[in-house]
Amino acid sequence: SSCSQLKLSTSSISTLSIPSISTVSKLLFIIDDIHFADESSLKHLLTLGSHSKCLLILSMKPPNNNNNDRPASNILQSISTDSRVYLRRLPGLELRYLATLACQILSVHKIPAKIVKVLNENCN
């Protein structure tokens, strides 16, 4: 599967029709694969997360598995070690489900055994 990068920008956020934080009771943001975010997006998320009415639920690879030469890696490290953060390590997908998932993504009924072997050797 291919990975896509989410980039939030101030201009794209400002064009959304979102009520002011002061007029809502609570805001919940759920963002998957945050380790692909750029430094600017992470800074925006940290600002949101520091607001008492906002709750962020983020998924990311453990920082030691990320590309640590990126400027964003320091921010990811600070997020994962922040005292306000509750960390929950999730197990990887069980190998027995990889072939089924590949079939669903590819919209096929079966994939070659060689591909199943490659998936099992290289995932998780």
Side-chain angles (χ1 to χ4, degrees):
S1 72
S2 64
C3 299
S4 59
Q5 184 172 358
L6 170 67
K7 182 174 181 180
L8 300 175
S9 69
T10 306
S11 61
S12 65
I13 291 174
S14 64
T15 61
L16 297 174
S17 177
I18 299 176
S20 167
I21 289 179
S22 61
T23 64
V24 297
S25 58
K26 298 284 180 184
L27 285 173
L28 172 65
F29 296 89
I30 302 173
I31 303 174
D32 191 20
D33 292 335
I34 198 67
H35 51 274
F36 291 120
D38 62 21
E39 185 177 12
S40 176
S41 299
L42 289 171
K43 287 179 180 179
H44 284 294
L45 288 172
L46 287 174
T47 301
L48 285 171
S50 66
H51 197 285
S52 63
K53 293 185 177 187
C54 294
L55 174 64
L56 302 177
I57 298 177
L58 310 172
S59 77
M60 69 179 196
K61 291 181 181 179
N64 58 348
N65 291 344
N66 293 322
N67 184 0
N68 289 325
D69 59 348
R70 293 177 50 225
S73 66
N74 290 335
I75 298 172
L76 288 172
Q77 184 64 40
S78 69
I79 290 171
S80 66
T81 57
D82 190 298
S83 63
R84 298 169 295 170
V85 171
Y86 172 75
L87 292 177
R88 174 78 167 106
R89 185 169 301 274
L90 301 176
L93 185 64
E94 292 180 36
L95 293 180
R96 63 188 171 135
Y97 297 120
L98 291 177
T100 302
L101 179 61
C103 288
Q104 290 174 354
I105 291 170
L106 298 170
S107 298
V108 297
H109 294 287
K110 189 173 181 178
I111 58 174
K114 288 182 180 182
I115 293 178
V116 172
K117 183 179 179 190
V118 169
L119 288 173
N120 288 338
E121 291 172 352
N122 294 293
C123 292
N124 295 327

